[in-house]
Amino acid sequence: MSDARNVARALDALRHGWAIRVTGVDGALDLLPAETAFVQPGIYAARLLISDARAATLKLANQRDAAVPEAPVLIRGAEPFSLSGARNLADPAQDLGNPLRGPFKADPIEPREAAVAAMELARLAGILPAFMVSTGVEIAAEVSAEELAVFKDPRGLTIQARARLPVAPCDDAEIVAFRARDDLREHVALVLGVQTSEREPLVRLHSECLTGDVLGSLKCDCGPQLDGALAQMADEVAKGGWGVLLYLRQEGRGIGLINKLRAYELQDQGFDTVDANERLGLPSEARDFPVAVRMLDLLGVSRVRLLTNNPMKVAALQELGIEVSERVPHELPANPHNARYLATKRDRSGHLLR
């Protein structure tokens, strides 16, 4: 029987550097996370499981393959991989200081479903998607691809608490907290004004950004986006309307804080946002929009005016059953530090200028 709790155990094991077994309909893989495992003598593996994007850097995958950067690739070297060697190979930030040593060869992946699930588990754990395969070390947790699908099912999300929360732009506001069992992320909604079925709310989907929202980073536009959204919703309230800000715990568009900072390091080397994520072997867009739809459902919202310049957000909500009656532009000025970031969002991610 499927048990989503096994996913929580596997994620905890990966963060601690312990080995896990991932199973699928076509077989199983015993995997030791290259990034977090404790370096010790005698740990070697004949094969590594890495991402397509990383394999492309090693000239083991073509650009068409790397169009799905997080897809799994199984490689072997002329000699077994040590843990420190695997770690250097997994982290693109080390490329300049540790030239890649081959030759490497890509092997067929028979337990394909398990390999795909492993890449997703690495992303959810916030670690680099790279594993030593069949190391013979003790397995700390076992999880199946089916259990991962159950874990990610947004129907497990429920309202846990709600309270009045006056905020600077609008003192008539309520915060609503959501949580799913076994998932440590706690999403929140801020409802501004009086909820009514007579008028659809102005809604903003905002993914967590510690550097922008809290520390005032100029590398992105997240902080100004958050402030601007609340200000526009406060204007709606003044006109008799209402608004909903969904604050989603999806740092770095779903790749996690540490990996986002790794992407920043690669950007300092000249890569744009998309290329930096892909060089890490991670998707440039990994946000969980079904979670946002579940939150709206629990709030009783089925029709919205969406505050966004991203047509993909509109399409994602509509495909999942939320009617978007209007896309409201979210215009913010650029600064010298985020101009390239905003241009990349426009040119490579399809964002509109207004």
Side-chain angles (χ1 to χ4, degrees):
M1 179 179 293
S2 177
D3 188 345
R5 289 176 294 182
N6 287 335
V7 179
R9 296 185 185 104
L11 294 177
D12 185 62
L14 292 178
R15 296 184 187 110
H16 281 87
W18 302 332
I20 64 171
R21 176 171 295 138
V22 186
T23 63
V25 295
D26 43 9
L29 289 168
D30 288 354
L31 303 168
L32 186 67
E35 178 190 342
T36 54
F38 175 65
V39 176
Q40 52 189 303
I43 301 295
Y44 292 92
R47 299 179 298 171
L48 292 183
L49 187 69
I50 61 173
S51 69
D52 252 336
R54 193 64 181 142
T57 302
L58 301 176
K59 310 302 181 186
L60 293 173
N62 58 39
Q63 281 195 314
R64 182 178 177 181
D65 293 332
V68 185
E70 68 274 23
V73 172
L74 193 61
I75 69 168
R76 67 171 63 244
E79 298 179 353
F81 298 99
S82 67
L83 187 50
S84 59
R87 186 169 298 171
N88 288 336
L89 191 145
D91 187 353
Q94 304 298 322
D95 287 351
L96 296 179
N98 296 280
L100 301 175
R101 297 179 180 180
F104 302 111
K105 177 183 177 183
D107 284 352
I109 304 177
E110 293 181 1
R112 184 84 189 177
E113 187 179 55
V116 171
M119 294 287 105
E120 180 68 355
L121 287 166
R123 182 187 70 81
L124 291 172
I127 65 172
L128 291 170
F131 298 93
M132 301 176 74
V133 180
S134 298
T135 59
V137 297
E138 181 180 356
I139 300 299
E142 183 170 343
V143 63
S144 70
E146 179 186 5
E147 289 165 336
L148 178 58
V150 172
F151 177 85
K152 293 178 62 180
D153 189 334
R155 290 174 295 183
L157 197 73
T158 57
I159 293 176
Q160 297 293 318
R162 57 198 312 161
R164 182 174 176 272
L165 185 71
V167 293
C170 177
D171 62 6
D172 183 10
E174 180 187 36
I175 188 168
V176 185
F178 304 78
R179 185 169 59 198
R181 191 185 73 176
D182 306 319
D183 190 343
L184 295 178
R185 296 173 300 175
E186 296 168 332
H187 309 284
V188 299
L190 188 66
V191 180
L192 277 67
V194 179
Q195 182 169 347
T196 173
S197 59
E198 302 299 319
R199 185 172 179 179
E200 65 268 29
L202 181 64
V203 171
R204 171 71 184 170
L205 275 57
H206 187 89
S207 294
E208 175 184 35
C209 179
L210 173 69
T211 49
D213 298 342
V214 179
L215 303 179
S217 168
L218 298 176
K219 286 180 70 73
C220 64
D221 58 345
C222 298
Q225 277 188 344
L226 179 59
D227 294 339
L230 291 174
Q232 284 187 251
M233 290 177 190
D235 289 341
E236 285 291 313
V237 174
K239 299 172 185 175
W242 61 296
V244 179
L245 176 85
L246 300 185
Y247 196 84
L248 306 166
R249 303 298 300 278
Q250 302 181 139
E251 181 76 56
R253 293 193 169 196
I255 67 172
L257 177 62
I258 301 299
N259 281 329
K260 183 180 83 168
L261 298 183
R262 288 188 173 115
Y264 280 0
E265 185 177 2
L266 291 172
Q267 289 170 35
D268 290 341
Q269 295 177 15
F271 297 96
D272 69 20
T273 311
V274 172
D275 287 337
N277 279 38
E278 293 185 353
R279 199 166 179 86
L280 288 168
L282 295 163
S284 58
E285 177 57 85
R287 286 176 289 186
D288 191 347
F289 293 117
V291 164
V293 170
R294 172 64 174 169
M295 293 167 71
L296 290 173
D297 286 342
L298 290 170
L299 292 172
V301 176
S302 59
R303 191 168 185 263
V304 304
R305 297 168 59 231
L306 192 63
L307 184 59
T308 185
N309 289 347
N310 185 354
M312 188 186 72
K313 282 186 180 179
V314 176
L317 292 194
Q318 289 179 328
E319 288 172 6
L320 294 166
I322 298 294
E323 181 183 350
V324 180
S325 64
E326 180 187 2
R327 183 190 69 81
V328 180
H330 199 28
E331 298 181 77
L332 294 164
N335 68 60
H337 300 279
N338 70 13
R340 187 186 183 198
Y341 164 80
L342 296 177
T344 299
K345 288 208 295 186
R346 179 194 65 215
D347 299 338
R348 302 194 63 183
S349 301
H351 288 228
L352 303 174
L353 292 175
R354 66 178 310 277

